[in-house]
Amino acid sequence: MREPLHQTIYSYKLLYRFRWNPIGYLLQLLLIGLSLIGISLVLHVPVLKLIVTLAIFPVVPICHLVVFRLFTAMRGLKPQTTADMLVSPWWGTGFPLPVPMSVFRASESIVLAGSILISAGAFVWLPEEYGLMLLGATVILALPRLIALIASYRQPGNSRVKYENRGVAFLLTDG
């Protein structure tokens, strides 16, 4: 005779879903263009000569990924890397299951602060135009994380967060 399995089943109520849509990507492209113009004005260099500084952009997602992985390793959490690394504002990082709001806030805050600190540290070693572009790119590419973090403060503290394909969902359990 088989013993019954003891399982807990939760149902979730969706409180809010934050998605980074094409308008957000257009905003980021606009801000990148404006940062090129701003750096051009500050350094008195033509914008066309600064186009090569866009090559620094891949450093930002790598920083996000490394800082997120370090955070999850130190906290003993199980991260998940998904195939949408190139199109997701979270660069394919997240958790497979919904996590408590405190874990979401901590991980996003650490990734934001860590990537800005890495960029600021690298700024002194890079040529001035690359350093400024790296700092600008770090802030611009972190906008989805920052806005989602700000949106999390409008949700109850006992809710959970599920990382989705191009956003996050704030959920409340009934159990």
Side-chain angles (χ1 to χ4, degrees), residues 3 5 11-12 18-19 41 52 56 82 89 92 94-95 106 108 113-114 135 161-162 171:
E3 290 188 31
L5 294 174
S11 64
Y12 293 100
F18 174 80
R19 286 210 172 128
L41 292 174
V52 295
I56 202 87
T82 59
F95 298 98
E108 294 301 315
L135 285 172
V161 180
K162 172 84 171 117
L171 310 166

Side-chain angles (χ1 to χ4, degrees), residues 12 68 77-78 94-105 107 157-163 169-171:
Y12 293 100
F68 182 80
L77 300 170
K78 303 273 188 231
F95 298 98
L97 299 172
V99 293
M101 186 67 78
S102 60
V103 171
F104 171 76
R105 288 178 182 159
S107 67
N158 61 343
S159 58
R160 299 180 84 65
V161 180
K162 172 84 171 117
Y163 284 83
F170 299 100
L171 310 166

Side-chain angles (χ1 to χ4, degrees), residues 73-113:
M74 289 191 314
R75 295 277 305 258
L77 300 170
K78 303 273 188 231
Q80 176 185 19
T81 304
T82 59
D84 64 345
M85 290 185 79
L86 297 176
V87 295
S88 170
W90 279 263
W91 308 109
T93 60
F95 298 98
L97 299 172
V99 293
M101 186 67 78
S102 60
V103 171
F104 171 76
R105 288 178 182 159
S107 67
E108 294 301 315
S109 299
I110 294 295
V111 169
L112 289 170

